[in-house]
Amino acid sequence: MSTAEETAGAEAQAWAEVTPDAARRLLVAAVEAFAERGYHATTTRDIAGRAGMSPAALYIHYKTKEELLHRISRIGHDKAIDILRTAAEGDGSAAERLSDAVRSFVRWHAAQHTTARVVQYELDALGPDARGEIVALRRQTDAAVRGIIQDGVAAGEFDVPDVPGTTLAVLSLCIDVARWFNVNGPRTPDEVGALYADLVLRMVGAKP
């Protein structure tokens, strides 16, 4: 199976929990439109058309375009938190847990790069209440990674003078994969994840 086929399959499975089928189709169409055109340049008519529905059908499931973006952002950030917490709470040394966290987080941002671009880069389009909710979720992703790095420093595994700054750098490195990843490029999501896990361990001065 090609990288393009693998990532297409991952994108298709990303919203399996959204029901009914019409609501899921609209959400998938919104992700594609927001990633391609940007939130502000996308209309509800664009989204409905991509889903093969009338504009009126969209409002049965989502009151506004912002509600769609909020749902996308909420689900995406919940998945990100789950990925990082699973690694943070796993067995093994801090280096092993940080490697698992980065590998899995990067793999998700590559395999579901279309979704991830919307989740990570359209935050400012949300209203104050919805934005505040997503910012709170982002703090949880920061806390998960920061906790692993702090554990490594405490155990003498890592040499990190600035834990908050390093945490921000690690997360930024991982998230940016969604911006540039190309399914026709030379590396698969797994290969990018492995590369970035190695880079991050070098960044924190992990002892061999």
Side-chain angles (χ1 to χ4, degrees):
M1 181 180 293
S2 69
T3 299
E5 290 171 332
E6 289 179 1
T7 53
E11 293 276 6
Q13 292 298 316
W15 311 105
E17 69 271 45
V18 179
T19 57
D21 178 68
R24 181 169 57 254
R25 284 164 54 199
L26 286 163
L27 191 142
V28 171
V31 169
E32 294 172 352
F34 293 158
E36 180 182 317
R37 305 187 62 186
Y39 175 82
H40 292 294
T42 298
T43 67
T44 54
R45 183 175 295 275
D46 293 332
I47 296 167
R50 285 173 183 258
M53 301 180 191
S54 68
L58 184 148
Y59 296 108
I60 295 173
H61 302 283
Y62 303 99
K63 295 178 182 177
T64 63
K65 184 175 71 167
E66 185 190 341
E67 183 179 329
L68 261 169
L69 178 61
H70 181 215
R71 185 83 188 277
I72 292 164
S73 296
R74 176 74 206 214
I75 293 174
H77 280 86
D78 282 342
K79 289 181 183 296
I81 292 169
D82 183 62
I83 288 168
L84 294 175
R85 281 184 174 166
T86 297
E89 296 169 3
D91 297 327
S93 66
E96 290 169 335
R97 288 184 287 129
L98 184 60
S99 178
D100 287 345
V102 171
R103 187 186 301 265
S104 299
F105 200 47
V106 166
R107 185 190 301 124
W108 185 80
H109 280 81
Q112 299 186 26
H113 55 282
T114 304
T115 296
R117 279 202 303 274
V118 177
V119 169
Q120 299 292 3
Y121 295 111
E122 292 287 359
L123 177 63
D124 289 341
L126 293 172
D129 291 344
R131 189 177 189 280
E133 178 185 324
I134 300 304
V135 167
L137 293 176
R138 290 194 174 200
R139 292 195 185 102
Q140 293 181 47
T141 65
D142 181 276
V145 174
R146 188 172 65 251
I148 302 174
I149 296 175
Q150 287 173 332
D151 288 347
V153 171
E157 293 183 51
F158 301 159
D159 180 14
V160 180
D162 183 349
V163 171
T166 301
T167 300
L168 177 61
V170 169
L171 287 171
S172 297
L173 188 69
C174 296
I175 288 169
D176 195 54
V177 170
R179 184 184 57 78
W180 62 259
F181 185 78
N182 185 344
V183 295
N184 297 314
R187 290 190 172 94
T188 66
D190 282 337
E191 289 169 341
V192 178
L195 171 64
Y196 275 48
D198 180 67
L199 291 173
V200 167
L201 289 180
R202 292 172 186 270
M203 181 188 298
V204 299
K207 304 298 188 292

